[in-house]
Amino acid sequence: MLGATVLIPSILVPAMGGTTKVKLLNLAEVINTCFITSGINTLIQTLLGARLPIVQGGSFAYLAPVLTIAAGIQNSQTFDSDHDRFLYTMRVLQGGIIGSALIALGLALLGIFYWMLQHLSPITIGVNISILGLSLYNSGWPAMGACIQLGLPVMCLIIIFGYHLRRVQFFGLAFFSLFPVILGIGLTWLYAYIFTVAGVYDNSSPETQKACTTSQSNFNYILSEAPWFRVPYPGQWGSPIFTTSGVLTMLAAVIPAALESIGDYYAAARLSGARQPPGEVVSRALAVEAACCAIAGVFGTTSGSTAYAENVGAISITGVASRRVTQTGALIMIIISVISKIGALFASLPQAMIAGVFCVMFSIIAGVGFSNLQGVNLRSQRNILILGFGLYCGLSVPAYFESYTAANGHGPVNTGSTTFNNIANAIFSTPAAVSLMACLLLDLTIPLLEGERGRQAWQLQKSSESGWWHDPEMEKLYGWPFGLTPRWRRRIDPVKQAGRRREGQPAPAAATELPQVSPPASQLEKSSNDEP
């Protein structure tokens, strides 16, 4: 999870502007800001949201929309310095994230996200998630080319530690599978330092020395210039700038991030030995996640918030599914955020090493999207068309818009309305948005035969429980602390029942008892009555 928190600003901040030294200081500050918002949002999610041991952090779904907005600002406006461009771009991103988060909050409160999970085809969701990783291919091998000696080793080490050696244990702890990213970066960084001290690159070109040696990566500068302590605070970059194009472009990130989080909620509950979360709890968790996105926007982290699938993997490996462990980790993240030297340390990573990590991380994201196709009939010509068309358009259409803009100074959409032009060009330059629209168009219009859509794979996650708060076990798992859920329901249930009677609808059925799923003892940590 630490790797994902650090990598997102590492790719976005350089694209937003700043000279080399100022850019590194800004990157360090953004990384620390990601730490504090991750801690705060995790506490909110575990207290008021899903109530499961879920960690909130930055989402890779925001990378392509942010890069699109940053490129549009760079091409359309001039600034006195690159640092001024960074600050202006950050403020526009803040406005886009906050505005899209408020829209997502409304969708979650109305149950639209949960409805989408039950009615959208797994092909549409899977392609939309996969395109997040595939569309960022330029951040992988092309960036590693600056110093393949650093990028290739870190990529190989992460794969070896995370997969080839994942069953190797020390004192009962799967050490390699828990820390593949940190181990890969640490060993590669040590190798780069040894080669630098040994003078291996002394006779190389200045470009190679800058990319491959630790002494030329501004390591000493940023660690000496960064203060020991700095508290990230809301509005630290200035007042957010709200633009229609920024908000709508960010919506292309909110939807896949939210739908991906739903799967994490169910997986965390299953691995924790908890009963399946009711649909109302899932909608509540998504509403809290949308509020967390707004908090991330207020602080200025360059991305919104999502549930970390990495945390679900950690539960599976360690067997620790304690809500309090997650909350303690959140408090540690908040403490780390005020120590600026830690953010500066991560900001000094050579870019070729980061590119090597991207090759693994973005590949996993693409694979996660394809994993959602289980249960889909891939022998159907209809489904094959939707899958291929969504992926191809998600890559090809943004490439056309970007090349057209570079050649003509404006996007292909060039009407009399500047606002409309900015919105349309930004949306069609975002791979996730194009992929979603292409899949939806075909999925909802092409007739399907029985079983072609594969919707049954999603319906397995649908909960039939109603009145779950009357069940003491369910209320302990998913109810708000201090017994707030029963008190709240006593207030709103009579109002809802009166509304149903006026509309002639039958009253909801009583809560049904679902069988308890008992996991192996090694997969559940019993620590208190407050634990799932």
mmCIF file of all heavy atoms in Angstrom, residues 131-162:
data_model
loop_
_atom_site.group_PDB
_atom_site.id
_atom_site.type_symbol
_atom_site.label_atom_id
_atom_site.label_comp_id
_atom_site.label_asym_id
_atom_site.label_seq_id
_atom_site.Cartn_x
_atom_site.Cartn_y
_atom_site.Cartn_z
ATOM 1 N N ILE A 131 -8.332 -0.768 -18.682
ATOM 2 C CA ILE A 131 -7.798 0.336 -19.480
ATOM 3 C C ILE A 131 -6.998 1.307 -18.616
ATOM 4 O O ILE A 131 -6.139 2.037 -19.118
ATOM 5 C CB ILE A 131 -8.938 1.074 -20.223
ATOM 6 C CG1 ILE A 131 -8.397 1.774 -21.474
ATOM 7 C CG2 ILE A 131 -9.648 2.060 -19.314
ATOM 8 C CD1 ILE A 131 -7.965 0.832 -22.550
ATOM 9 N N LEU A 132 -7.269 1.306 -17.282
ATOM 10 C CA LEU A 132 -6.513 2.179 -16.385
ATOM 11 C C LEU A 132 -5.031 1.817 -16.405
ATOM 12 O O LEU A 132 -4.166 2.695 -16.356
ATOM 13 C CB LEU A 132 -7.063 2.062 -14.954
ATOM 14 C CG LEU A 132 -8.536 2.430 -14.752
ATOM 15 C CD1 LEU A 132 -8.936 2.201 -13.306
ATOM 16 C CD2 LEU A 132 -8.797 3.865 -15.166
ATOM 17 N N GLY A 133 -4.723 0.527 -16.458
ATOM 18 C CA GLY A 133 -3.331 0.118 -16.498
ATOM 19 C C GLY A 133 -2.740 0.145 -17.896
ATOM 20 O O GLY A 133 -1.611 0.595 -18.091
ATOM 21 N N LEU A 134 -3.507 -0.298 -18.887
ATOM 22 C CA LEU A 134 -2.983 -0.370 -20.251
ATOM 23 C C LEU A 134 -2.694 1.005 -20.836
ATOM 24 O O LEU A 134 -1.750 1.171 -21.616
ATOM 25 C CB LEU A 134 -3.985 -1.115 -21.146
ATOM 26 C CG LEU A 134 -4.255 -2.583 -20.781
ATOM 27 C CD1 LEU A 134 -5.317 -3.169 -21.702
ATOM 28 C CD2 LEU A 134 -2.971 -3.395 -20.865
ATOM 29 N N SER A 135 -3.504 2.001 -20.476
ATOM 30 C CA SER A 135 -3.342 3.326 -21.077
ATOM 31 C C SER A 135 -2.091 4.048 -20.590
ATOM 32 O O SER A 135 -1.705 5.066 -21.168
ATOM 33 C CB SER A 135 -4.575 4.192 -20.772
ATOM 34 O OG SER A 135 -4.707 4.397 -19.371
ATOM 35 N N LEU A 136 -1.447 3.533 -19.547
ATOM 36 C CA LEU A 136 -0.266 4.202 -18.995
ATOM 37 C C LEU A 136 1.025 3.496 -19.416
ATOM 38 O O LEU A 136 2.013 3.515 -18.692
ATOM 39 C CB LEU A 136 -0.373 4.239 -17.464
ATOM 40 C CG LEU A 136 -1.549 5.074 -16.943
ATOM 41 C CD1 LEU A 136 -1.766 4.827 -15.458
ATOM 42 C CD2 LEU A 136 -1.306 6.563 -17.187
ATOM 43 N N TYR A 137 1.013 2.889 -20.598
ATOM 44 C CA TYR A 137 2.199 2.157 -21.063
ATOM 45 C C TYR A 137 3.396 3.076 -21.256
ATOM 46 O O TYR A 137 4.549 2.637 -21.140
ATOM 47 C CB TYR A 137 1.876 1.405 -22.353
ATOM 48 C CG TYR A 137 1.422 2.289 -23.494
ATOM 49 C CD1 TYR A 137 2.338 2.876 -24.354
ATOM 50 C CD2 TYR A 137 0.072 2.535 -23.717
ATOM 51 C CE1 TYR A 137 1.931 3.680 -25.399
ATOM 52 C CE2 TYR A 137 -0.352 3.342 -24.757
ATOM 53 C CZ TYR A 137 0.581 3.919 -25.594
ATOM 54 O OH TYR A 137 0.171 4.728 -26.629
ATOM 55 N N ASN A 138 3.158 4.354 -21.544
ATOM 56 C CA ASN A 138 4.282 5.279 -21.738
ATOM 57 C C ASN A 138 5.075 5.521 -20.461
ATOM 58 O O ASN A 138 6.221 5.978 -20.514
ATOM 59 C CB ASN A 138 3.773 6.614 -22.276
ATOM 60 C CG ASN A 138 3.586 6.587 -23.781
ATOM 61 O OD1 ASN A 138 4.311 5.893 -24.483
ATOM 62 N ND2 ASN A 138 2.601 7.318 -24.270
ATOM 63 N N SER A 139 4.470 5.244 -19.318
ATOM 64 C CA SER A 139 5.162 5.449 -18.045
ATOM 65 C C SER A 139 6.014 4.247 -17.654
ATOM 66 O O SER A 139 6.686 4.287 -16.627
ATOM 67 C CB SER A 139 4.136 5.723 -16.926
ATOM 68 O OG SER A 139 3.372 6.870 -17.210
ATOM 69 N N GLY A 140 5.995 3.189 -18.458
ATOM 70 C CA GLY A 140 6.741 1.982 -18.145
ATOM 71 C C GLY A 140 8.064 1.899 -18.876
ATOM 72 O O GLY A 140 9.012 2.616 -18.577
ATOM 73 N N TRP A 141 8.141 1.041 -19.889
ATOM 74 C CA TRP A 141 9.402 0.805 -20.590
ATOM 75 C C TRP A 141 9.980 2.056 -21.240
ATOM 76 O O TRP A 141 11.205 2.238 -21.213
ATOM 77 C CB TRP A 141 9.215 -0.308 -21.614
ATOM 78 C CG TRP A 141 9.315 -1.663 -20.999
ATOM 79 C CD1 TRP A 141 8.309 -2.396 -20.439
ATOM 80 C CD2 TRP A 141 10.501 -2.445 -20.840
ATOM 81 N NE1 TRP A 141 8.786 -3.581 -19.952
ATOM 82 C CE2 TRP A 141 10.134 -3.655 -20.200
ATOM 83 C CE3 TRP A 141 11.829 -2.253 -21.206
ATOM 84 C CZ2 TRP A 141 11.052 -4.641 -19.890
ATOM 85 C CZ3 TRP A 141 12.747 -3.250 -20.902
ATOM 86 C CH2 TRP A 141 12.363 -4.429 -20.253
ATOM 87 N N PRO A 142 9.193 2.933 -21.852
ATOM 88 C CA PRO A 142 9.813 4.151 -22.400
ATOM 89 C C PRO A 142 10.556 4.965 -21.358
ATOM 90 O O PRO A 142 11.637 5.515 -21.636
ATOM 91 C CB PRO A 142 8.613 4.917 -22.968
ATOM 92 C CG PRO A 142 7.618 3.863 -23.307
ATOM 93 C CD PRO A 142 7.764 2.840 -22.230
ATOM 94 N N ALA A 143 10.023 5.043 -20.139
ATOM 95 C CA ALA A 143 10.710 5.782 -19.076
ATOM 96 C C ALA A 143 11.881 4.985 -18.501
ATOM 97 O O ALA A 143 12.860 5.566 -18.032
ATOM 98 C CB ALA A 143 9.722 6.134 -17.959
ATOM 99 N N MET A 144 11.786 3.671 -18.522
ATOM 100 C CA MET A 144 12.897 2.848 -18.048
ATOM 101 C C MET A 144 14.113 2.979 -18.943
ATOM 102 O O MET A 144 15.251 2.728 -18.520
ATOM 103 C CB MET A 144 12.468 1.373 -17.990
ATOM 104 C CG MET A 144 11.601 1.015 -16.803
ATOM 105 S SD MET A 144 10.960 -0.676 -16.924
ATOM 106 C CE MET A 144 12.476 -1.614 -17.119
ATOM 107 N N GLY A 145 13.902 3.360 -20.208
ATOM 108 C CA GLY A 145 14.996 3.449 -21.150
ATOM 109 C C GLY A 145 16.073 4.429 -20.748
ATOM 110 O O GLY A 145 17.222 4.308 -21.199
ATOM 111 N N ALA A 146 15.740 5.400 -19.893
ATOM 112 C CA ALA A 146 16.760 6.354 -19.440
ATOM 113 C C ALA A 146 17.860 5.653 -18.665
ATOM 114 O O ALA A 146 19.012 6.083 -18.687
ATOM 115 C CB ALA A 146 16.111 7.438 -18.573
ATOM 116 N N CYS A 147 17.511 4.574 -17.953
ATOM 117 C CA CYS A 147 18.512 3.775 -17.238
ATOM 118 C C CYS A 147 17.944 2.380 -17.034
ATOM 119 O O CYS A 147 17.368 2.078 -15.992
ATOM 120 C CB CYS A 147 18.874 4.418 -15.895
ATOM 121 S SG CYS A 147 20.184 3.515 -15.022
ATOM 122 N N ILE A 148 18.101 1.556 -18.049
ATOM 123 C CA ILE A 148 17.563 0.201 -17.977
ATOM 124 C C ILE A 148 18.243 -0.594 -16.875
ATOM 125 O O ILE A 148 17.682 -1.569 -16.351
ATOM 126 C CB ILE A 148 17.727 -0.491 -19.348
ATOM 127 C CG1 ILE A 148 16.778 -1.702 -19.452
ATOM 128 C CG2 ILE A 148 19.167 -0.887 -19.583
ATOM 129 C CD1 ILE A 148 15.344 -1.335 -19.552
ATOM 130 N N GLN A 149 19.462 -0.165 -16.470
ATOM 131 C CA GLN A 149 20.191 -0.866 -15.414
ATOM 132 C C GLN A 149 19.488 -0.772 -14.069
ATOM 133 O O GLN A 149 19.719 -1.590 -13.181
ATOM 134 C CB GLN A 149 21.606 -0.307 -15.274
ATOM 135 C CG GLN A 149 22.448 -0.427 -16.535
ATOM 136 C CD GLN A 149 22.399 0.824 -17.386
ATOM 137 O OE1 GLN A 149 21.329 1.397 -17.571
ATOM 138 N NE2 GLN A 149 23.543 1.237 -17.902
ATOM 139 N N LEU A 150 18.636 0.252 -13.865
ATOM 140 C CA LEU A 150 17.872 0.390 -12.627
ATOM 141 C C LEU A 150 16.441 -0.111 -12.795
ATOM 142 O O LEU A 150 15.897 -0.762 -11.897
ATOM 143 C CB LEU A 150 17.848 1.859 -12.174
ATOM 144 C CG LEU A 150 19.145 2.445 -11.647
ATOM 145 C CD1 LEU A 150 18.911 3.879 -11.198
ATOM 146 C CD2 LEU A 150 19.680 1.623 -10.485
ATOM 147 N N GLY A 151 15.825 0.218 -13.918
ATOM 148 C CA GLY A 151 14.418 -0.133 -14.105
ATOM 149 C C GLY A 151 14.179 -1.619 -14.206
ATOM 150 O O GLY A 151 13.249 -2.161 -13.594
ATOM 151 N N LEU A 152 15.022 -2.321 -14.980
ATOM 152 C CA LEU A 152 14.818 -3.755 -15.186
ATOM 153 C C LEU A 152 15.038 -4.554 -13.896
ATOM 154 O O LEU A 152 14.233 -5.433 -13.576
ATOM 155 C CB LEU A 152 15.746 -4.252 -16.295
ATOM 156 C CG LEU A 152 15.519 -5.693 -16.759
ATOM 157 C CD1 LEU A 152 14.105 -5.856 -17.295
ATOM 158 C CD2 LEU A 152 16.548 -6.070 -17.833
ATOM 159 N N PRO A 153 16.093 -4.285 -13.101
ATOM 160 C CA PRO A 153 16.256 -5.049 -11.852
ATOM 161 C C PRO A 153 15.105 -4.868 -10.875
ATOM 162 O O PRO A 153 14.651 -5.839 -10.267
ATOM 163 C CB PRO A 153 17.569 -4.495 -11.278
ATOM 164 C CG PRO A 153 18.319 -3.990 -12.452
ATOM 165 C CD PRO A 153 17.269 -3.450 -13.378
ATOM 166 N N VAL A 154 14.608 -3.643 -10.690
ATOM 167 C CA VAL A 154 13.531 -3.449 -9.720
ATOM 168 C C VAL A 154 12.260 -4.136 -10.191
ATOM 169 O O VAL A 154 11.505 -4.704 -9.384
ATOM 170 C CB VAL A 154 13.298 -1.940 -9.463
ATOM 171 C CG1 VAL A 154 12.630 -1.264 -10.641
ATOM 172 C CG2 VAL A 154 12.457 -1.742 -8.206
ATOM 173 N N MET A 155 12.006 -4.150 -11.498
ATOM 174 C CA MET A 155 10.839 -4.845 -12.022
ATOM 175 C C MET A 155 10.946 -6.348 -11.763
ATOM 176 O O MET A 155 9.991 -6.987 -11.285
ATOM 177 C CB MET A 155 10.691 -4.575 -13.516
ATOM 178 C CG MET A 155 9.483 -5.244 -14.158
ATOM 179 S SD MET A 155 9.436 -5.048 -15.967
ATOM 180 C CE MET A 155 10.788 -6.155 -16.434
ATOM 181 N N CYS A 156 12.108 -6.915 -12.056
ATOM 182 C CA CYS A 156 12.299 -8.360 -11.869
ATOM 183 C C CYS A 156 12.256 -8.743 -10.395
ATOM 184 O O CYS A 156 11.680 -9.778 -10.024
ATOM 185 C CB CYS A 156 13.631 -8.788 -12.481
ATOM 186 S SG CYS A 156 13.711 -8.609 -14.286
ATOM 187 N N LEU A 157 12.850 -7.920 -9.530
ATOM 188 C CA LEU A 157 12.863 -8.249 -8.105
ATOM 189 C C LEU A 157 11.459 -8.239 -7.515
ATOM 190 O O LEU A 157 11.120 -9.099 -6.692
ATOM 191 C CB LEU A 157 13.759 -7.251 -7.355
ATOM 192 C CG LEU A 157 15.264 -7.434 -7.528
ATOM 193 C CD1 LEU A 157 16.017 -6.308 -6.834
ATOM 194 C CD2 LEU A 157 15.712 -8.790 -6.975
ATOM 195 N N ILE A 158 10.628 -7.281 -7.911
ATOM 196 C CA ILE A 158 9.260 -7.233 -7.385
ATOM 197 C C ILE A 158 8.492 -8.489 -7.796
ATOM 198 O O ILE A 158 7.754 -9.078 -6.988
ATOM 199 C CB ILE A 158 8.552 -5.963 -7.883
ATOM 200 C CG1 ILE A 158 9.178 -4.721 -7.253
ATOM 201 C CG2 ILE A 158 7.055 -6.017 -7.551
ATOM 202 C CD1 ILE A 158 8.621 -3.426 -7.795
ATOM 203 N N ILE A 159 8.653 -8.916 -9.040
ATOM 204 C CA ILE A 159 7.961 -10.125 -9.502
ATOM 205 C C ILE A 159 8.486 -11.356 -8.765
ATOM 206 O O ILE A 159 7.706 -12.223 -8.327
ATOM 207 C CB ILE A 159 8.135 -10.287 -11.018
ATOM 208 C CG1 ILE A 159 7.430 -9.146 -11.757
ATOM 209 C CG2 ILE A 159 7.589 -11.628 -11.488
ATOM 210 C CD1 ILE A 159 7.634 -9.147 -13.256
ATOM 211 N N ILE A 160 9.804 -11.445 -8.599
ATOM 212 C CA ILE A 160 10.384 -12.609 -7.907
ATOM 213 C C ILE A 160 9.936 -12.654 -6.452
ATOM 214 O O ILE A 160 9.517 -13.702 -5.937
ATOM 215 C CB ILE A 160 11.922 -12.569 -8.013
ATOM 216 C CG1 ILE A 160 12.354 -12.787 -9.463
ATOM 217 C CG2 ILE A 160 12.553 -13.617 -7.102
ATOM 218 C CD1 ILE A 160 13.835 -12.585 -9.695
ATOM 219 N N PHE A 161 10.021 -11.516 -5.747
ATOM 220 C CA PHE A 161 9.636 -11.488 -4.341
ATOM 221 C C PHE A 161 8.134 -11.721 -4.169
ATOM 222 O O PHE A 161 7.704 -12.447 -3.269
ATOM 223 C CB PHE A 161 10.012 -10.141 -3.715
ATOM 224 C CG PHE A 161 11.486 -9.940 -3.560
ATOM 225 C CD1 PHE A 161 12.042 -8.671 -3.639
ATOM 226 C CD2 PHE A 161 12.337 -11.017 -3.342
ATOM 227 C CE1 PHE A 161 13.406 -8.478 -3.508
ATOM 228 C CE2 PHE A 161 13.702 -10.837 -3.211
ATOM 229 C CZ PHE A 161 14.236 -9.566 -3.289
ATOM 230 N N GLY A 162 7.334 -11.090 -5.018
ATOM 231 C CA GLY A 162 5.892 -11.142 -4.833
ATOM 232 C C GLY A 162 5.250 -12.435 -5.287
ATOM 233 O O GLY A 162 4.170 -12.786 -4.785
#
